[in-house]
């Protein structure tokens, strides 16, 4: 970019032209890149002046402009007006109460960035997930940068993953409950044949002098063995 300036030479009183050239291509490109990134990543951004409580919006899309409160723009009044149009009802008041200037500055005492997500239902019924970010512009804490970003895609992906984890947890819990129930039932089924074997063993000791009774006792001891063996195999299978 070339600049020209007409000045009077104090020595000769002649009018002279001073020209100089500045390469602004890089500066213009940088501004275009920043502007494009803002358009792609954010719905809008704004500067909140802490001392006066006023707010100046930049790069507002049509939706945000339609919710802009009457001038002058005082932050607390504007967000209440905007959410009253965007959300409506009791929820609008709850959101506005959560992000008043006092609440934001209080949050920024403990963190560099205060993030506030909320859901927004559009006219066609589609629910979008939005995220507000607040951070001081510099160490003077005179101004706060406010941005709003659409995080619907990442939010839906996160919800999907949480649902999958919950389903996996439910499956594991059902399997664990089934094992617990099985062990509880099998413990009773095991005691019955064990008690029979223990009792018949005692009878066999008492009937050692009577071969017929002893043989009968031994047969009865043998009877529960297949059932007991089956139960033990079931326990071993389910524990794998």
């Amino acid at each position: 970019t070339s600049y020209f300036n007409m000045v009077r030479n104090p020595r000769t009183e002649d009018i002279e032209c001073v020209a100089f050239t500045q390469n602004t291509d890089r500066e213009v490109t940088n501004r275009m890149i920043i502007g494009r990134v803002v358009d792609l990543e954010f719905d809008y951004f704004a500067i909140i002046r802490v001392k006066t409580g006023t707010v100046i919006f930049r790069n507002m899309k049509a939706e945000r402009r339609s919710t802009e409160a009457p001038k002058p723009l005082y932050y607390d009044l504007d967000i209440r007006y905007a959410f009253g149009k965007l959300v409506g009802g009791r929820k609008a008041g709850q959101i506005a109460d959560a992000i008043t200037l006092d609440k934001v500055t209080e949050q920024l005492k403990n963190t560099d960035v205060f993030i506030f997500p909320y859901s927004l239902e559009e006219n066609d019924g589609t629910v979008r997930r939005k995220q507000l970010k607040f951070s001081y512009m510099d160490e003077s804490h005179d101004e706060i940068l406010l941005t709003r970003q659409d995080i619907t895609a990442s939010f839906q992906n996160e919800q999907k993953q949480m649902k999958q984890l919950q389903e996996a947890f439910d499956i594991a819990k059902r399997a664990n409950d089934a094992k617990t129930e099985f062990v509880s039932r099998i413990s009773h089924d095991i005691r019955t044949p064990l008690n029979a074997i223990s009792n018949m063993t005692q009878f066999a000791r008492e009937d050692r002098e009577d071969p017929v009774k002893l043989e009968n006792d031994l047969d009865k001891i043998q009877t529960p063995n297949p059932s007991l063996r089956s139960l033990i195999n079931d326990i071993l299978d389910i524990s794998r």
Side-chain angles (χ1 to χ4, degrees):
T1 301
S2 298
Y3 298 91
F4 300 90
N5 190 18
M6 305 300 293
V7 296
R8 182 185 298 277
N9 189 320
R11 296 179 61 186
T12 64
E13 295 298 324
D14 293 333
I15 302 298
E16 299 177 353
C17 177
V18 178
F20 66 94
T21 302
Q22 181 179 1
N23 186 352
T24 58
D25 289 346
R26 180 174 297 178
E27 183 180 348
V28 171
T29 300
N30 288 341
R31 284 203 301 266
M32 291 176 63
I33 292 173
I34 293 172
R36 186 58 177 159
V37 169
V38 170
D39 287 340
L40 290 174
E41 296 295 327
F42 300 99
D43 295 339
Y44 62 80
F45 69 92
I47 303 298
I48 305 170
R49 293 196 172 99
V50 177
K51 292 182 179 179
T52 61
T54 55
V55 60
I56 301 173
F57 286 92
R58 294 287 185 267
N59 284 47
M60 289 195 306
K61 296 180 180 178
E63 171 223 316
R64 183 62 186 81
R65 286 195 294 271
S66 68
T67 62
E68 185 178 345
K71 302 292 190 297
L73 289 182
Y74 289 98
Y75 170 76
D76 285 345
L77 294 177
D78 180 71
I79 59 170
R80 196 166 295 277
Y81 181 89
F83 282 110
K85 284 203 163 189
L86 289 172
V87 180
R90 184 179 178 183
K91 187 177 180 181
Q94 291 173 340
I95 294 175
D97 289 341
I99 56 171
T100 62
L101 185 54
D102 285 343
K103 293 285 182 62
V104 171
T105 53
E106 186 65 29
Q107 289 290 334
L108 291 177
K109 289 179 181 178
N110 304 314
T111 182
D112 292 334
V113 180
F114 170 43
I115 299 175
F116 184 83
Y118 65 94
S119 295
L120 175 65
E121 184 175 350
E122 298 184 345
N123 294 331
D124 61 358
T126 302
V127 177
R128 309 292 299 180
R129 190 69 172 175
K130 302 292 184 177
Q131 179 175 273
L132 299 176
K133 280 187 178 182
F134 302 84
S135 60
Y136 282 116
M137 291 287 290
D138 53 40
E139 293 182 358
S140 69
H141 293 184
D142 290 335
E143 294 179 330
I144 296 173
L145 174 64
L146 162 63
T147 62
R148 192 182 81 170
Q149 190 174 18
D150 190 300
I151 58 169
T152 304
S154 59
F155 177 73
Q156 290 175 343
N157 185 55
E158 179 181 327
Q159 293 297 303
K160 182 179 179 180
Q161 291 178 347
M162 289 179 63
K163 182 180 179 181
Q164 291 173 342
L165 288 173
Q166 184 62 48
E167 290 174 350
F169 173 79
D170 291 341
I171 291 172
K173 186 176 184 300
R174 285 195 296 269
N176 187 65
D177 290 344
K179 282 187 177 183
T180 301
E181 182 182 354
F182 174 79
V183 170
S184 177
R185 178 179 59 82
I186 212 72
S187 63
H188 174 268
D189 293 344
I190 288 175
R191 288 192 191 99
T192 301
L194 286 178
N195 288 336
I197 292 172
S198 177
N199 292 334
M200 294 314 300
T201 301
Q202 182 62 35
F203 291 153
R205 288 196 180 97
E206 295 174 356
D207 296 334
R208 281 180 295 182
E209 303 301 327
D210 189 332
V212 176
K213 288 184 178 181
L214 179 60
E215 184 68 23
N216 184 55
D217 294 339
L218 293 175
D219 289 341
K220 290 180 179 179
I221 291 174
Q222 183 69 28
T223 300
N225 280 351
S227 175
L228 185 59
R229 187 181 299 109
S230 176
L231 289 172
I232 293 174
N233 287 335
D234 289 343
I235 294 174
L236 293 176
D237 288 340
I238 201 171
S239 64
R240 292 174 183 172

